[in-house]
Amino acid sequence: MSRKRLVQGLVWLGLTLLPLFIGEWQTLQLAQFLTYGLFAMSLALAWGRLGLLSFGHALFFGLGAYAMALATMGRLPGLEAFPSSWLGLALACLVPWATAQLLGFFLFHGRGLRGAYFGITMLALAVLAERLTQGTAWLGGLNGLIGVPPLALGLDGGGPALLDPLPTYWVMLGVAFAVFLGLEMLLASSRGLAMTAVRENEDRLGFLGYDVAAIKRHGFALSAAIAGLAGALFASQFGFVSPKLIGFGLSAEVLIWTALGGREMLLAAFFGALLLSWTETVLAGLLGAYWLLALAALLVLSVLFFERGFVAGILTLLSRGRRPGRR
Amino acid sequence: MTLLAVEGLEKRFGGVQALAGLSLSLDEGGLLCLLGPNGCGKTTFFRVLSGETAADAGRIDFADRRLEGEGPAGRARLGIARKLQTPGLFAALTVAEHLALAAASPAAHGPVDAAALLARVGLGEHAETPAGRLSHGQRQWLEIAMLLALRPRLLLLDEPTAGMTRAETRRTAALLRELNDKDGVAAIVIEHDMAFVRELDVAVAVMLQGRVVATGSYAEVGRDPLVRELYLGKRA
Ligand SMILES: Nc1ncnc2c1ncn2[C@@H]1O[C@H](COP(=O)(O)OP(=O)(O)OP(=O)(O)O)[C@@H](O)[C@H]1O
Ligand SMILES: [Mg+2]
């Protein structure tokens, strides 16, 4: 086993044991942050691997959250009597996935939108989605939807439900871990290599015979599906969805988490989101509005000293040990 | 047998007629050096041939098939591999990953022995080095090796020895010779370096203002009075 794997294993083990040493309320809060971590991993995939700097990634998180809320609250036309968590989860992945596929056709094929234009388009879409959500009664308008039920095992929404802090935390962690493993395997495969190559030099990749637009579209859609899954898990824990989940604010936050954690390393982005959300709850109480200042300062420092994110910097140092390594 | 036949290719950029009725043909397994002064349309020809940009007029037949409309990926799948004028690599990927990327491409035309290929271009020791850390000459070779891993039918090399030392240039010439003789890879090489062309000692086509004005061996072309006056006279 390589040292890198050992460090990764220790991080996951630490996260598994962590709730045994903290209070119930903190465990619940951390369980919520795990969904942010999952969200950050989805952005790390799009941005860190495919070079798709999305300024509006909350669009997909929000789509997932609302899909989950509508499904489990029995608000889907024709499916009112079938408020299944499973249906909610499936839709929460499928709707963002399909949305991203569709967007991908317009944004990547043909001449294709590059760099900042792609980012700005995503930003505009997230803002638009936020406004639309605010104005749609079916979606609860400005107030959002209150009373999203917790995850339930039964196919019809009945059966044992995920209520207690510890199981909730572990289920969230399990999902995050499964997604992490799946993505790591994908990235280690030749498909993953092609994705990294898109980030490095997409024009060149085309000359090697690869369909770059298709790689971007499928990768983007996968990222969207994971963001949607994160949104769904968040909604079912929080019991509440609001237009904030789909708009600019959360889009900016996930960008900061991912940038500070490390966009090119899934675990760094994931852990960065956990750490920053956690720090926020502690420091926001202490610092009040100055928290944003502190965050901005942190971002500047991180960009200056850890161009690839500070969690990534630390993990890389640990993985390398004293041996001189590469990358 | 003819691998590539180009007929009356034209391409205009605004007021510049970059290609003005370029015609040229290359046999299966052939090797051709394309010479010509700066701005005569050599790179534009490669760009059109590799599908990066469409010609305004003319036709290209490749392996008994008329090329029309395919982009770079499509042409690569047909077996046309192009080396860019400035090395086109993936800085964060290692040398070995470059070959893996090529070998896994939809354009790959058969299995490759990556280790042997790397040894051949002198990068055997550097399999795990990220491309960004290679020297300029090594980058050029890595790019050539990556293209060879596609097992293409036609290799287009745009100034492969640019920025290389004399020794590196000589090595590149030897590599090209070997590829052509042993593996039968057909190639068109754009070159400014006369010593390199002399060393290769292959068929030469001289371009001027968007068309081919002379073809033949290096010696023959060198005797052509037009070529002497217009091009070689100024340089050699
Ligand atoms: N995209 C473009 N837009 C406008 N003009 C162009 C473009 N590409 C090439 N040209 C012009 O077309 C002509 C041919 O350019 P090309 O790059 O093919 O020359 P070249 O023979 O490769 O030159 P060099 O030896 O300097 O590489 C030049 O006059 C160049 O300025
Ligand atoms: Mg050129």
Side-chain angles (χ1 to χ4, degrees):
Chain A
M1 191 166 60
S2 76
R3 193 157 169 148
K4 181 179 157 204
R5 291 266 173 263
L6 188 71
V7 170
Q8 289 180 346
L10 286 176
V11 170
W12 288 104
L13 185 68
L15 285 173
T16 310
L17 301 178
L18 184 62
L20 302 177
F21 304 99
I22 56 179
E24 287 211 325
W25 184 80
Q26 286 166 314
T27 302
L28 264 187
Q29 195 153 44
L30 215 53
Q32 217 174 74
F33 297 159
L34 288 173
T35 65
Y36 290 153
L38 194 55
F39 186 25
M41 274 201 273
S42 85
L43 186 62
L45 176 68
W47 180 21
R49 286 294 155 166
L50 292 158
L52 298 170
L53 175 49
S54 165
F55 286 125
H57 225 49
L59 173 65
F60 303 121
F61 186 89
L63 279 176
Y66 273 93
M68 187 71 178
L70 291 173
T72 52
M73 291 172 77
R75 288 176 78 97
L76 288 178
L79 289 166
E80 289 88 350
F82 191 66
S84 160
S85 292
W86 299 106
L87 175 69
L89 286 172
L91 286 177
C93 294
L94 207 64
V95 173
W97 181 86
T99 307
Q101 283 281 351
L102 193 70
L103 283 174
F105 267 111
F106 291 112
L107 299 181
F108 306 142
H109 290 258
R111 303 203 66 174
L113 272 189
R114 296 275 178 102
Y117 292 102
F118 167 77
I120 292 165
T121 305
M122 286 306 299
L123 171 68
L125 286 173
V127 170
L128 186 72
E130 190 172 357
R131 288 288 149 82
L132 280 178
T133 314
Q134 286 170 352
T136 308
W138 178 53
L139 300 172
L142 270 173
N143 299 322
L145 297 170
I146 302 167
V148 183
L151 286 181
L153 207 54
L155 276 180
D156 57 352
L162 208 53
L163 287 167
D164 294 328
L166 264 183
T168 303
Y169 178 90
W170 279 327
V171 167
M172 297 302 147
L173 190 68
V175 173
F177 183 62
V179 169
F180 169 76
L181 273 190
L183 286 180
E184 285 278 293
M185 273 159 62
L186 171 71
L187 292 178
S189 73
S190 58
R191 274 163 182 268
L193 195 57
M195 288 169 109
T196 312
V198 168
R199 176 191 76 201
E200 293 292 309
N201 193 347
E202 64 175 277
D203 291 327
R204 189 55 181 147
L205 195 61
F207 284 102
L208 292 184
Y210 282 92
D211 185 345
V212 174
I215 297 174
K216 281 163 104 171
R217 180 164 48 82
H218 290 306
F220 188 50
L222 177 61
S223 164
I226 295 168
L229 174 64
L233 294 175
F234 179 89
S236 66
Q237 262 186 74
F238 205 51
F240 171 51
V241 292
S242 76
K244 274 189 180 158
L245 298 184
I246 207 166
F248 171 66
L250 187 61
S251 296
E253 270 188 292
V254 73
L255 262 177
I256 294 175
W257 298 333
T258 310
L260 278 175
R263 66 182 185 278
E264 288 173 13
M265 207 185 279
L266 294 173
L267 188 58
F270 173 76
F271 201 71
L274 284 190
L275 206 64
L276 282 164
S277 309
W278 185 258
T279 315
E280 179 171 355
T281 58
V282 178
L283 288 188
L286 285 175
L287 298 177
Y290 290 108
W291 155 247
L292 279 180
L293 267 181
L295 187 66
L298 201 62
L299 187 63
V300 171
L301 285 178
S302 164
V303 168
L304 286 178
F305 296 107
F306 293 101
E307 194 209 341
R308 299 191 159 169
F310 73 85
V311 179
I314 292 166
L315 287 177
T316 307
L317 278 179
L318 289 175
S319 310
R320 212 183 267 165
R322 253 173 250 134
R323 283 176 294 123
R326 60 175 188 92
R327 263 199 286 176
Chain B
M1 209 182 90
T2 309
L3 176 66
L4 174 76
V6 177
E7 232 354 277
L9 226 48
E10 289 183 23
K11 179 75 189 178
R12 174 180 278 281
F13 295 110
V16 182
Q17 188 77 43
L19 296 178
L22 181 144
S23 300
L24 170 102
S25 83
L26 185 73
D27 281 344
E28 203 98 49
L31 183 55
L32 179 76
C33 259
L34 198 57
L35 304 182
N38 288 109
C40 71
K42 303 180 297 292
T43 298
T44 304
F45 171 48
F46 273 15
R47 289 181 58 205
V48 169
L49 198 50
S50 65
E52 187 188 346
T53 180
D56 301 332
R59 70 178 281 162
I60 304 172
D61 291 278
F62 178 74
D64 297 323
R65 167 190 171 138
R66 180 163 186 182
L67 298 188
E68 224 164 7
E70 312 88 352
R75 300 263 165 108
R77 286 174 205 171
L78 291 174
I80 300 179
R82 169 176 161 213
K83 186 191 169 311
L84 306 185
Q85 194 162 349
T86 48
L89 295 173
F90 309 92
L93 299 191
T94 64
V95 167
E97 282 171 335
H98 277 80
L99 295 206
L101 195 62
S105 149
H109 279 71
V112 277
D113 182 347
L117 193 51
L118 285 182
R120 210 161 163 187
V121 296
L123 289 171
E125 306 284 289
H126 297 280
E128 296 307 317
T129 310
R133 294 221 200 116
L134 296 175
S135 75
H136 186 80
Q138 288 173 328
R139 280 182 208 183
Q140 302 273 35
W141 284 327
L142 172 57
E143 197 180 0
I144 293 173
M146 176 173 78
L147 296 179
L148 289 175
L150 294 172
R151 312 221 14 204
R153 304 189 64 172
L154 173 63
L155 199 54
L156 304 176
L157 302 177
D158 200 342
E159 304 193 24
T161 67
M164 282 189 177
T165 62
R166 282 291 324 137
E168 286 173 333
T169 301
R170 218 169 293 136
R171 244 190 113 169
T172 307
L175 174 69
L176 253 179
R177 266 257 73 92
E178 186 192 308
L179 282 174
N180 187 247
D181 291 346
K182 269 209 212 143
D183 306 26
V185 181
I188 303 179
V189 187
I190 294 177
E191 255 312 332
H192 275 308
D193 188 336
M194 282 305 139
F196 177 83
V197 178
R198 222 175 295 131
E199 201 140 341
L200 264 182
D201 187 28
V202 291
V204 170
V206 180
M207 268 183 79
L208 191 72
Q209 291 173 358
R211 61 167 78 87
V212 173
V213 293
T215 49
S217 70
Y218 179 77
E220 282 163 12
V221 166
R223 281 195 294 273
D224 187 315
L226 178 73
V227 172
R228 287 186 83 91
E229 185 191 330
L230 286 173
Y231 180 54
L232 298 174
K234 280 182 225 153
R235 293 181 152 254

